[in-house]
């Protein structure tokens, strides 16, 4: 019996959708971290070489990122990293405050002991993780960022609407790009651990108005720090 030796030991190549998902994750991380700076043209040749992929999965990933608001598709000009502006920062912050206020109130209205335990655990893990890897100068701690996202997602995660949670996540991504630009300036002046603790305490006490006030103040203070950083924006 003959055997096709070309098939022995060979693994199936990843599907186009799998490649697109992988490229999407890598591109998204580079966009959020600022490695691909705002307004930069995303040339296909550069991207295919950088991510070692073909144009089809790359275009799928770019289209998804366009829907996420992280990439701009300009007619007959190609893809660009989404620009930043003071007006967009203000608008995104205002919208996030609106929708997360609703999500937090709904989460508290449907409060369960399991959700409260998840929130306590998320706060505990975040609170014991250093914001900076270096005590003398700011050095970003990726684990803190991961736990920070878990904490804020847990706050609204009991609202009963996956669509609302997903929209909140999209806004968080868009605002994360802004926060990354001024993070070194904000680090010495903010006591975010205390802010997170106060929000959680208000939630667990059942005071929805106070919890919402603390959460929206938390977001607005972040925006204010960025808006005051003259190096972040080109316009005066």
């Amino acid at each position: 019996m003959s055997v096709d030796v070309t098939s022995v030991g060979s693994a199936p190549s990843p599907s186009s959708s799998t490649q697109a998902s992988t490229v999407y994750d890598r591109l998204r991380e580079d966009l959020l971290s600022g490695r691909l700076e705002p307004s930069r043209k995303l040339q296909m040749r550069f991207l295919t070489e950088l991510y070692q992929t073909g144009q089809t999965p790359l275009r799928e990933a770019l289209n998804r990122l366009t829907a996420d608001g992280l990439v701009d598709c300009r007619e007959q000009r190609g893809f660009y990293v989404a620009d930043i502006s003071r007006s967009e920062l203000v608008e995104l912050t205002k919208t996030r405050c609106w929708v997360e206020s609703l999500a937090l109130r709904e989460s508290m209205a449907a409060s369960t002991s399991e959700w409260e335990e998840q929130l306590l655990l998320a706060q505990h893990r975040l609170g014991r993780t250093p914001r900076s890897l270096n005590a003398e100068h700011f050095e970003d701690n990726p684990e803190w960022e991961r736990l920070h996202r878990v904490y804020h997602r847990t706050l609204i995660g009991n609202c009963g609407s996956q669509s609302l949670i997903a929209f909140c996540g999209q806004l968080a991504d868009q605002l994360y790009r802004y926060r990354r630009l001024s993070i070194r300036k904000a680090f010495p002046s903010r006591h975010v651990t205390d802010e997170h603790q106060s929000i959680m305490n208000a939630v667990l006490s059942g005071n929805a108005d106070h919890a919402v006030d603390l959460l929206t103040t938390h977001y607005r203070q972040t925006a204010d720090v960025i808006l005051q950083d003259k190096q972040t924006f080109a316009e005066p």
Side-chain angles (χ1 to χ4, degrees):
M1 179 178 66
S2 63
V3 178
D4 182 3
V5 294
T6 60
S7 65
V8 177
S10 62
S13 58
S15 66
S16 176
S17 60
T18 300
Q19 291 182 54
S21 294
T22 300
V23 175
Y24 169 84
D25 290 337
R26 294 180 61 193
L27 249 173
R28 179 176 173 276
E29 176 58 30
D30 287 343
L31 291 165
L32 293 178
S33 68
R35 285 190 286 270
L36 294 173
E37 62 274 12
S39 302
R40 174 174 181 162
K41 182 174 175 58
L42 296 171
Q43 297 174 321
M44 297 300 289
R45 182 173 180 179
F46 165 74
L47 295 177
T48 55
E49 292 178 357
L50 180 63
Y51 299 109
Q52 293 295 292
T53 188
Q55 289 197 12
T56 297
L58 183 57
R59 286 187 179 277
E60 289 182 33
L62 288 169
N63 285 327
R64 286 179 61 188
L65 290 162
T66 299
D68 291 343
L70 298 176
V71 169
D72 287 335
C73 181
R74 303 176 187 177
E75 187 174 357
Q76 298 184 348
R77 295 180 61 190
F79 294 96
Y80 289 77
V81 179
D83 203 356
I84 61 169
S85 68
R86 293 178 184 273
S87 59
E88 184 188 59
L89 172 58
V90 171
E91 181 181 349
L92 288 171
T93 301
K94 180 169 64 175
T95 305
R96 189 181 192 187
C97 288
W98 285 342
V99 296
E100 290 207 17
S101 294
L102 172 62
L104 181 57
R105 288 184 186 277
E106 291 297 311
S107 287
M108 292 180 66
S111 179
T112 63
S113 58
E114 181 181 5
W115 174 64
E116 291 183 356
E117 288 170 4
Q118 291 174 350
L119 183 56
L120 278 165
L121 181 59
Q123 163 61 24
H124 174 71
R125 288 174 172 169
L126 179 61
R128 65 183 296 182
T129 303
R131 180 66 190 89
S132 172
L133 294 174
N134 190 307
E136 297 182 359
H137 63 270
F138 181 77
E139 185 178 341
D140 193 27
N141 184 354
E143 180 63 7
W144 188 92
E145 287 290 356
R146 185 186 71 81
L147 293 172
H148 183 239
R149 177 59 67 93
V150 170
Y151 168 82
H152 278 284
R153 185 179 176 90
T154 303
L155 275 174
I156 63 171
N158 197 47
C159 69
S161 171
Q162 290 303 312
S163 297
L164 181 56
I165 293 171
F167 182 47
C168 290
Q170 184 176 332
L171 291 169
D173 282 346
Q174 292 174 281
L175 283 163
Y176 178 73
R177 289 202 313 144
Y178 285 89
R179 187 160 60 84
R180 294 287 301 174
L181 295 171
S182 293
I183 203 165
R184 284 173 174 79
K185 180 178 179 180
F187 174 67
S189 62
R190 292 289 297 277
H191 301 284
V192 292
T193 299
D194 294 339
E195 293 174 25
H196 293 143
Q197 181 71 47
S198 296
I199 294 168
M200 186 196 69
N201 289 344
V203 170
L204 296 181
S205 72
N207 190 335
D209 289 340
H210 188 42
V212 165
D213 285 344
L214 290 173
L215 181 64
T216 55
T217 298
H218 177 67
Y219 290 147
R220 287 168 181 153
Q221 286 179 337
T222 299
D224 287 344
V225 170
I226 303 170
L227 289 167
Q228 292 166 15
D229 187 355
K230 296 179 180 179
Q231 295 180 344
T232 299
F233 303 102
E235 69 265 29

